[in-house]
């Protein structure tokens, strides 16, 4: 007899076993559970299905002829926002943690999937299902490493929870949406962040050691809209390093192969997305994708200062120049990098145009990566919207 939940007969993989997506695995956590039963359809790196999952989630896929949807996915609204009273120690102003806490306090959900860090290592991810505001607060700030957020999925079914919020990045959310109907939930809320250039824990160490003056005291870092990496240290000091001064030759293989093959930078399948790159410096960037996302944002509106999204500058020449520079792993002297940073900050792309700059640079790089390393996957793995974005640029022939 076939079971209603055939996945319950499947067995999670051992932590040391090779994942079905092999080197492209982003360690999203699905294969750490019996939902591995669905891996062939659900894995973002084995079966790219953003178009179909957009229809399932938002009732329609993005309109490729609408320039904002082409880039930022299905949405009802976008804005810049910041908390009037930021949460100390959050990645930005803590909008994500605030929404999650409010959803729990108002009993909209019984639990929140989020990621804390281990006691020993502030950057080692430890996914949990939070059931108290304190547990959500303890998950604030990015763990800039691949994180198996979905590894807690079996606990949901076992706990009998019916209303759940999941916080996660694009690859985790793609797999989650693919198994959503199997979770036995009455309501699933998804709060996403954009994500790019993630690394394994070992890769993170290499990045910090190659780039920061004091790798062991970094508590937080971000690639900011002023074209610099900002490192925050334990003593509260901020160190900035211009993008153009990064030691590209040493860092070329630091990013995870999954992230070099990802085209879901903006987390297309979340209900609400909170990032920063489409907003002015110091502000967060909010994309409301559907009615569920609107409901989540409404809960915290009174604690936010907001302003409309803006856009200025022209990214195209800078993106075109970045393609061969990255390819040849060019590193320029630090004085020239600083100078370029100052000039580009003054005249360069801002707001949504900065977000397009970042999307274009990463999609062109990732397209070349897939073409060279997994040519057999190129056609099916790259979504149509990404092909249109990449086609705006001249790429090296091989
Ligand atoms: P907080 O209130 O500090 O909460 C952060 C939340 O992130 C926590 O709930 C935690 O559970 C979750 N989280 C932390 N690490 C991970 C992880 N590895 N995987 C899944 N969930 C995690 N925004 C952009 O606009 N452009 C980018 O290029 C970009 N890159 C990012 C890369 C990574 C790896 C991550 C995790 C986020 C990235 N973001 C990016 C989002 C941005 O940095 C902030 O996370 C977002 O604006 C929320 O800030 P906050 O202060 O509201 O979050
Ligand atoms: Fe499994 Fe997720 Fe890795 Fe795909 S990315 S192989 S679903 S753990």
């Amino acid at each position: 007899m076939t079971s209603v939940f055939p996945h319950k007969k499947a067995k999670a993989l051992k932590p040391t076993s090779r994942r079905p997506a092999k080197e492209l695995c982003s360690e999203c956590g699905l294969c750490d559970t019996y939902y591995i039963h669905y891996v062939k359809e659900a894995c973002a790196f084995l079966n790219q299905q953003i178009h179909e999952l957009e229809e399932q989630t938002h009732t329609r896929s993005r309109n490729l002829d609408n320039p904002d949807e082409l880039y930022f996915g299905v949405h009802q609204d976008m804005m810049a926002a910041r908390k009037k009273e930021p949460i100390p120690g959050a990645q930005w102003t803590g909008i994500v943690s605030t929404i999650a806490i409010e959803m729990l306090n108002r009993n909209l959900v019984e639990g929140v999937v989020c990621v804390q860090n281990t006691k020993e290592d502030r950057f080692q991810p430890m996914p949990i299902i939070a059931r108290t505001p304190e547990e959500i607060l303890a998950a604030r700030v990015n763990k800039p490493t691949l994180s198996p957020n979905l590894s807690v999925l079996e606990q949901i079914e076992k706990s009998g929870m019916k209303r759940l919020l999941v916080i996660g990045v694009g690859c985790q959310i793609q797999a989650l949406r693919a198994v959503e109907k199997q979770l036995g939930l009455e309501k699933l809320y998804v709060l996403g962040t954009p994500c790019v250039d993630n690394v394994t824990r070992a890769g993170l160490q290499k990045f910090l050691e190659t780039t920061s003056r004091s790798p062991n005291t970094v508590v937080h870092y971000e690639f900011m809209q002023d074209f610099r990496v900002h490192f925050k240290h334990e003593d509260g000091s901020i160190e900035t390093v211009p993008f153009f001064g990064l030691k590209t030759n040493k860092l070329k293989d630091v990013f995870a192969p999954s992230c070099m093959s990802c085209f879901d930078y903006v987390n297309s399948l979340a209900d609400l997305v909170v990032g920063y790159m489409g907003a002015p410096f110091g502000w967060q960037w909010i994309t409301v994708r559907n009615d569920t996302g609107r409901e989540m944002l409404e809960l915290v509106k009174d604690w936010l200062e907001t302003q409309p999204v803006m856009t200025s500058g022209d990214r195209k020449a800078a993106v075109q120049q970045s393609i061969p520079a990255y390819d040849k792993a060019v590193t320029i002297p630090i004085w020239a990098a600083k100078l370029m940073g100052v000039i580009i900050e003054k005249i360069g792309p801002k707001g949504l145009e900065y977000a397009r700059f970042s999307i274009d640079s990463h999609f062109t790089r990732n397209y070349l990566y897939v073409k060279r390393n997994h040519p057999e996957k190129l056609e099916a793995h790259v979504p149509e919207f990404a092909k249109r974005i990449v086609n705006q640029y001249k790429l090296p022939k091989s």
Side-chain angles (χ1 to χ4, degrees):
M1 206 173 74
T2 18
S3 152
V4 191
F5 296 111
H7 52 266
K8 287 195 171 167
K9 291 202 177 136
K11 256 200 148 162
L13 285 182
K14 289 199 198 96
T16 48
S17 306
R18 194 144 204 240
R19 279 16 199 176
K22 302 190 180 111
E23 73 276 16
L24 289 185
C25 172
S26 70
E27 295 169 29
C28 77
L30 188 85
C31 295
D32 302 328
T33 71
Y34 49 53
Y35 294 100
I36 189 179
H37 178 78
Y38 302 104
V39 67
K40 275 196 197 147
E41 305 97 76
C43 175
F45 304 94
L46 295 175
N47 182 29
Q48 183 283 117
Q49 49 170 340
I50 296 178
H51 179 92
E52 292 75 9
L53 290 175
E54 277 180 338
E55 278 176 0
Q56 175 191 305
T57 308
H58 312 306
T59 67
R60 65 180 183 85
S61 62
R62 73 185 71 191
N63 177 357
L64 298 177
D65 297 322
N66 172 329
D68 276 351
E69 288 218 347
L70 179 75
Y71 271 83
F72 309 124
V74 175
H75 61 277
Q76 301 180 349
D77 202 3
M78 280 198 283
M79 70 198 73
R82 59 185 178 198
K83 277 203 75 197
K84 291 173 193 161
E85 287 178 33
I87 297 184
Q91 183 70 14
W92 282 76
T93 70
I95 295 178
V96 166
S97 300
T98 305
I99 293 173
I101 289 172
E102 202 48 25
M103 291 183 72
L104 203 59
N105 282 344
R106 296 206 195 186
N107 208 17
L108 278 172
V109 293
E110 296 149 291
V112 177
V113 174
C114 54
V115 50
Q116 298 180 344
N117 53 278
T118 60
K119 275 203 187 69
E120 305 74 42
D121 180 355
R122 65 167 71 99
F123 291 130
Q124 185 68 48
M126 189 175 76
I128 59 151
I129 305 178
R131 290 161 186 264
T132 64
E134 292 72 29
E135 285 172 337
I136 295 171
L137 265 185
R140 71 193 185 284
V141 80
N142 292 358
K143 280 34 125 201
T145 41
L146 301 177
S147 173
N149 281 24
L150 301 187
S151 61
V152 297
L153 281 190
E154 276 186 31
Q155 293 174 36
I156 294 162
E157 214 170 349
K158 285 180 189 145
S159 71
M161 261 181 210
K162 292 291 171 207
R163 285 166 287 118
L164 184 77
L165 169 67
V166 176
I167 300 172
V169 298
C171 54
Q172 299 157 359
I173 302 308
Q174 278 188 58
L176 176 74
R177 287 298 190 193
V179 301
E180 176 176 354
K181 293 200 175 77
Q182 318 300 332
L183 299 175
L185 293 171
E186 280 160 17
K187 180 76 184 171
L188 171 68
Y189 294 86
V190 179
L191 177 50
T193 67
C195 182
V196 80
D197 288 352
N198 217 337
V199 287
T200 60
R201 185 62 188 86
L204 175 65
Q205 203 57 31
K206 186 171 174 193
F207 171 70
L208 294 175
E209 281 166 14
T210 318
T211 314
S212 169
R213 62 170 152 76
S214 169
N216 293 330
T217 59
V218 173
V219 288
H220 159 308
Y221 73 83
E222 193 85 83
F223 285 72
M224 294 280 201
Q225 299 102 318
D226 62 355
F227 295 86
R228 296 183 182 93
V229 189
H230 288 220
F231 293 100
K232 188 171 175 197
H233 291 276
E234 278 166 352
D235 62 2
S237 64
I238 304 282
E239 171 191 8
T240 65
V241 178
F243 290 178
F244 307 104
L246 292 179
K247 300 186 181 88
T248 324
N249 51 347
K250 294 202 183 133
L251 292 174
K252 255 203 129 175
D253 55 3
V254 89
F255 302 124
S258 54
C259 307
M260 296 290 289
S261 320
C262 170
F263 296 90
D264 193 24
Y265 194 168
V266 299
N267 211 326
S268 315
L269 303 167
D271 299 310
L272 182 70
V273 184
V274 182
Y276 65 89
M277 66 180 175
F281 189 72
W283 291 72
Q284 290 185 259
W285 171 47
I286 299 191
T287 308
V288 180
R289 299 210 180 283
N290 55 32
D291 291 344
T292 303
R294 185 167 294 285
E295 181 193 349
M296 292 155 74
L297 183 60
E298 281 301 320
L299 299 172
V300 301
K301 267 266 171 86
D302 289 348
W303 301 320
L304 302 183
E305 218 181 315
T306 59
Q307 59 166 305
V309 279
M310 51 74 70
T311 183
S312 73
D314 185 350
R315 72 198 182 277
K316 290 249 174 89
V319 175
Q320 188 63 65
Q321 277 161 21
S322 76
I323 298 170
Y326 183 84
D327 229 25
K328 294 186 194 116
V330 178
T331 301
I332 61 174
I334 193 70
W335 62 266
K338 282 190 176 151
L339 187 65
M340 264 175 83
V342 172
I343 296 170
I344 213 157
E345 194 191 343
K346 287 229 162 63
I347 60 163
K350 294 205 171 52
L352 292 181
E353 187 67 0
Y354 176 84
R356 289 185 205 102
F357 164 80
S358 196
I359 291 170
D360 288 356
S361 326
H362 287 97
F363 279 14
T364 48
R365 181 199 70 182
N366 289 9
Y367 185 88
L368 284 172
Y369 181 86
V370 178
K371 188 175 169 200
R372 287 168 183 165
N373 296 284
H374 302 278
E376 74 294 349
K377 286 181 81 76
L378 192 69
E379 186 48 35
H381 181 68
V382 183
E384 180 57 27
F385 65 82
K387 285 182 185 143
R388 289 203 191 183
I389 289 171
V390 170
N391 280 340
Q392 299 171 104
Y393 297 96
K394 204 165 168 295
L395 300 188
K397 286 262 175 321
S398 56

